[in-house]
Amino acid sequence: MRGWLLVVLLVLTACSAPTDGGVDGPPWGLRVDYQLGGAYEPADGVTGVVRDRTDPPAPGLWSACYVNAFQTQPGSDEVPQDLQLRTPDGQRVEDPDWPGEFLLDISTPQLRARVAELVGSWVDGCAADGFDAVEPDNLDSWTRSDGLLTRADAEAMTRLLVDRAHAAGLDIAQKNAAELDGAALGLDYAVTEQCQVHDECDVYTDAYGDRVIEVEYTDDAFAEACAARGDRVAVQRRDLDVSVPGSEGYTSRFCS
């Protein structure tokens, strides 16, 4: 009798054990609404949201907060002037594709510690508000620094943010930056924009399995992404402005 009981227990344990490195599927499901342009009521069937840190999490849904961790927000004065990267002649280094976003200076351990304390306070705020995870943007800002920052600077900064997020009880994402081995740096999942267009999706799924949130901005890329992995990872078609319903150009679709 004891032998049969042991067999039953072993079978039940094997059947219920999570797969994929101890994670039984992504906690956010397959319909994550990328709501960076403003929070709004999730549509029926949405299983998770990503919102700016200034917005609240979605009640009852997995929620990640967006933090611009390596650049300033346009019009914001939250980052002290001496933490903003400058050229040898004293000019702030601006993101060429996003006017008004200036790169943070993470070029020394002392500066990284100060940036980590500032950004870490935002991360702590996300945790206090009830978010489940954080998405730190612009991990790849060193590639736009005209050589003033290095990949090693970005990796060292990322490790500090990983420690801060985990201490706050939050998962932390690799946001784009396919050049980085984010999993080796301690990142927990990926948020990727246009990986189908840039032929980078395998980089993220190889590193994180189904713990990937993919956003595409064209119909063709969205259709290709859905066909390739829409049954395994969260894929959404969004408009470039990630606008709110009722706005001109608002687009939000999920794989069927």
Side-chain angles (χ1 to χ4, degrees):
M1 188 69 177
R2 292 177 187 167
W4 281 109
L5 180 59
L6 178 60
V7 169
V8 170
L9 289 173
L10 289 173
V11 169
L12 289 175
T13 301
C15 291
S16 61
T19 59
D20 192 20
V23 178
D24 190 13
W28 46 79
L30 296 182
R31 295 197 170 196
V32 177
D33 197 355
Y34 205 56
Q35 297 187 0
L36 296 194
Y40 50 86
E41 184 69 22
D44 290 344
V46 168
T47 53
V49 299
V50 180
R51 291 177 171 174
D52 189 81
R53 64 182 175 86
T54 59
D55 288 321
L61 298 181
W62 179 90
S63 300
C65 73
Y66 169 95
V67 172
N68 201 346
F70 289 75
Q71 299 181 183
T72 67
Q73 286 288 82
S76 171
D77 60 358
E78 291 180 285
V79 179
Q81 290 287 321
D82 64 341
L83 285 185
Q84 298 180 38
L85 186 67
R86 295 183 181 271
T87 62
D89 62 358
Q91 298 300 308
R92 291 186 297 169
V93 179
E94 188 174 24
D95 187 317
D97 296 323
W98 294 95
E101 289 199 21
F102 297 93
L103 276 62
L104 305 192
D105 192 347
I106 57 170
S107 60
T108 71
Q110 294 77 15
L111 287 166
R112 288 193 290 272
R114 290 183 59 202
V115 171
E117 187 56 36
L118 175 64
V119 176
S121 70
W122 304 338
V123 171
D124 291 346
C126 291
D129 287 342
F131 283 95
D132 301 289
V134 60
E135 176 202 318
D137 200 9
N138 291 306
L139 298 177
D140 60 348
S141 62
W142 93 88
T143 65
R144 300 182 290 277
S145 70
D146 295 325
L148 296 172
L149 300 174
T150 67
R151 174 173 174 161
D153 294 331
E155 290 174 337
M157 187 70 236
T158 298
R159 291 188 184 95
L160 294 177
L161 295 179
V162 166
D163 290 344
R164 189 65 176 251
H166 288 167
L170 301 179
D171 283 343
I172 180 170
Q174 175 171 353
K175 171 67 175 295
N176 298 325
E179 304 96 324
L180 295 181
D181 185 350
L185 296 173
L187 298 170
D188 303 296
Y189 70 107
V191 177
T192 170
E193 296 173 294
Q194 301 190 97
C195 71
Q196 183 69 37
V197 174
H198 300 299
D199 194 24
E200 295 174 342
C201 301
D202 287 350
V203 172
Y204 302 109
T205 55
D206 286 350
Y208 301 102
D210 56 9
R211 295 174 65 86
V212 175
I213 297 169
E214 178 180 350
V215 183
E216 298 292 344
Y217 297 111
T218 67
D219 290 337
D220 288 347
F222 173 68
E224 292 166 0
C226 287
R229 65 202 150 267
D231 61 341
R232 295 182 291 115
V233 308
V235 180
Q236 186 182 22
R237 165 73 161 96
R238 282 297 264 134
D239 56 287
L240 276 172
D241 292 328
V242 286
S243 57
V244 301
S247 302
E248 183 178 358
Y250 168 78
T251 302
S252 175
R253 296 202 306 276
F254 299 99
C255 303
S256 58

